Amino acid sequence: MTRLFGTDGVRGLANADLTAELALDLSVCAAHVLADRGEFEGHRPLAVVGRDTRISGQFLEAAVVAGLASAGVDVLLLGVLPTPGVAYLTDRLGADLGVVLSASHNPMPDNGIKFLARGGHKLDDVIEDAVERRMGEPWERPTGGDVGRVRAYDTAVEEYAAHLESTISHPLAGLTVVLDCAEGAAHAAGPRALEDAGATVIAIHADPDGININDNCGSTHLESLRAAVVEHGAHAGFALDGDADRCLAVDAEGNVVDGDQILAILALSMREQGKLAKDTVVATVMSNLGFVQALRAAGVGVRQTKVGDRYVLEAMRVSGYNLGGEQSGHVILADHATTGDGILTALHVLERMATTGRSLADLASVVHRLPQVLLNVSGVDKSRADEDAVVAAALAEEEALLGDRGRILLRPSGTEPIVRVMVEAPSEDEAQDVASRLAEVVRRELAL
């Protein structure tokens, strides 16, 4: 049977895959699992619920609230708020769980449900599986005064923005920044936090109508941000995604600054201040080799994990690291947040610019990115990718040819029936040649 929970909650086409009935049942089961673990003993359980701007979030929110309240859980409605804002208020308000309704950077017709445990942490696989096992299980419903109460929490945006601003100690006065809010959850909190910190903010794609979220804007569509930064003569620009748990940046000339470069800027800043735990940053195997080389040359260790911010978070928690992230722009500043936070990331990059007087392009130049080519090979049996002797021999041969001048990563996708071939090399042509040769071997040897 296919697992209901994916790598980041439950997602699907709203009102087709992800229905009101499913949202209600999932919320009841989440309440039951957390209650069974003893977290609600001695008090009425409390949940906070936030969502992004998708029109489907309205009926899904109603279903989630109905499920929680029918299970005897009191609910605070946070309204439209970024995922990291919901995580922050789950912790600050002492809630037993948080619920986020968002499909992040996915197209508008999709939506998702993500549960957060006490403290604002994502549920681990064991708890998600326990929630899923309770689906359809008979249960004793509370009645009378034992059902949950529901009320709006009207200061969520203000409190979250104030928290973000409090994490930096140097004002951003004199800096002009363009912020692409992706017509999403950060359209209010993002500009407010940066303005409160002293920056002059030009907000674009900050007029959501429930349908335009992520529509040719945000961190997956940087063209309008690049143009706006140049047009307004801004010092930098930042693009968030629909739920604002990640961001990418653009320098004053309109050049993209990716998650690897952002992570390097923050790692070197924190190390200089003596704030980087164990002088180590956590990244994934997809991080550019130039990023790894730059940090190691500066005396910063790099711990690499599987692709996915949940694996980055796990490594950080287990080993006590306080900075990690992905090339896609998920950056986790664990001293201030329990999950990736695009607004928080932007604030700390801008603070580094303000304290050093250096441009974003100059700060990002520490990473000399190697050309990277990624080919997706479809129509193959991805389960054999790690076992086929011919593929292994071809991989070894190409790695020997590249030596320490580059890197090859061959891995089956976790969500699609494809094998990914990623190659980094000193030149684009060499990377393309190596990737094409390997992709052909994979296509021939693993064909279905």
Side-chain angles (χ1 to χ4, degrees):
M1 179 174 143
T2 303
R3 189 173 186 265
L4 188 59
F5 284 88
T7 56
D8 200 17
V10 178
R11 288 190 192 179
L13 182 60
N15 216 29
D17 305 317
L18 182 55
T19 63
E21 293 87 348
L22 177 58
L24 190 150
D25 290 345
L26 277 169
S27 300
V28 169
C29 294
H32 288 166
V33 168
L34 290 170
D36 286 348
R37 295 170 66 213
E39 293 192 359
F40 294 162
E41 293 177 5
H43 71 285
R44 292 184 60 84
L46 175 67
V48 297
V49 179
R51 60 182 176 88
D52 69 20
T53 55
R54 292 164 218 265
I55 195 75
S56 60
Q58 296 177 3
F59 80 77
L60 289 172
E61 177 188 68
V64 165
V65 171
L68 292 170
S70 72
V73 178
D74 291 343
V75 181
L76 295 179
L77 293 173
L78 305 181
V80 172
L81 196 69
T83 290
V86 179
Y88 167 68
L89 287 172
T90 300
D91 181 34
R92 200 190 73 73
L93 297 175
D96 298 284
L97 72 156
V99 186
V100 182
L101 296 163
S102 176
S104 189
H105 60 280
N106 283 29
M108 181 278 294
D110 290 346
N111 216 322
I113 300 177
K114 178 163 41 184
F115 295 104
L116 303 168
R118 184 178 292 169
H121 298 285
K122 292 183 179 181
L123 302 186
D124 61 33
D125 289 347
V126 173
I127 303 304
E128 287 181 342
D129 289 342
V131 171
E132 194 165 332
R133 284 196 301 272
R134 299 289 289 267
M135 294 290 286
E137 184 179 79
W139 57 289
E140 185 176 345
R141 299 170 181 269
T143 58
D146 291 332
V147 300
R149 281 75 162 163
V150 182
R151 65 182 176 89
Y153 192 78
D154 296 327
T155 57
V157 169
E158 291 81 357
E159 291 181 27
Y160 171 53
H163 159 68
L164 293 171
E165 192 271 334
S166 73
T167 67
I168 64 171
S169 55
H170 193 287
L172 305 182
L175 289 178
T176 298
V177 58
V178 180
L179 185 66
D180 182 345
C181 300
E183 309 290 6
H187 74 278
R192 177 167 186 150
L194 269 61
E195 287 171 353
D196 287 351
T200 298
V201 180
I202 300 160
I204 63 174
H205 302 299
D207 189 22
D209 61 9
I211 296 173
N212 57 5
I213 185 171
N214 296 325
D215 187 10
N216 290 315
C217 58
S219 60
T220 55
H221 300 279
L222 297 174
E223 298 79 13
S224 59
L225 176 63
R226 297 175 67 184
V229 168
V230 174
E231 176 188 350
H232 293 283
H235 295 92
F238 295 88
L240 307 172
D241 62 345
D243 70 336
D245 65 350
R246 68 174 179 171
C247 78
L248 295 177
V250 169
D251 68 24
E253 301 300 319
N255 300 307
V256 175
V257 177
D258 69 12
D260 284 343
Q261 294 167 298
I262 291 171
L263 201 55
I265 291 169
L266 297 177
L268 296 179
S269 173
M270 291 171 65
R271 183 176 184 272
E272 182 182 298
Q273 299 173 68
K275 295 179 179 179
L276 184 63
K278 302 182 181 180
D279 286 340
T280 298
V281 63
V282 181
T284 76
V285 293
M286 288 299 289
S287 287
N288 193 277
L289 182 58
F291 161 81
V292 177
Q293 292 171 338
L295 287 191
R296 287 177 176 167
V300 175
V302 179
R303 165 81 179 274
Q304 291 183 277
T305 72
K306 293 191 292 185
V307 175
D309 67 314
R310 68 186 304 161
Y311 301 113
V312 174
L313 272 166
E314 181 182 3
M316 292 173 68
R317 288 187 197 137
V318 169
S319 301
Y321 303 125
N322 62 350
L323 178 65
E326 296 186 279
Q327 193 178 65
S328 61
H330 280 110
V331 175
I332 303 152
L333 289 151
D335 292 337
H336 309 295
T338 59
T339 186
D341 190 325
I343 308 170
L344 181 69
T345 299
L347 280 167
H348 283 256
V349 171
L350 289 167
E351 183 183 37
R352 182 62 169 171
M353 293 170 62
T355 56
T356 62
R358 297 169 63 187
S359 69
L360 180 56
D362 184 30
L363 291 170
S365 67
V366 66
V367 176
H368 300 285
R369 289 181 294 184
L370 272 68
Q372 187 180 85
V373 171
L374 176 64
L375 298 181
N376 294 323
V377 186
S378 59
V380 296
D381 181 0
K382 68 177 184 178
S383 67
R384 294 165 45 213
D386 297 328
E387 303 171 356
D388 188 89
V390 175
V391 171
L395 175 61
E397 181 180 352
E398 297 291 355
E399 287 178 330
L401 289 172
L402 271 180
D404 59 6
R405 299 179 306 113
R407 184 170 69 106
I408 303 172
L409 182 65
L410 191 153
R411 68 180 185 91
S413 168
T415 57
E416 302 173 80
I418 59 177
V419 173
R420 304 190 194 280
V421 179
M422 189 275 285
V423 178
E424 292 169 350
S427 72
E428 184 84 22
D429 287 345
E430 185 175 6
Q432 185 66 56
D433 288 345
V434 173
S436 297
R437 289 195 297 267
L438 269 178
E440 181 55 36
V441 174
V442 170
R443 188 175 292 110
R444 183 179 66 245
E445 293 299 319
L446 305 184
L448 291 171

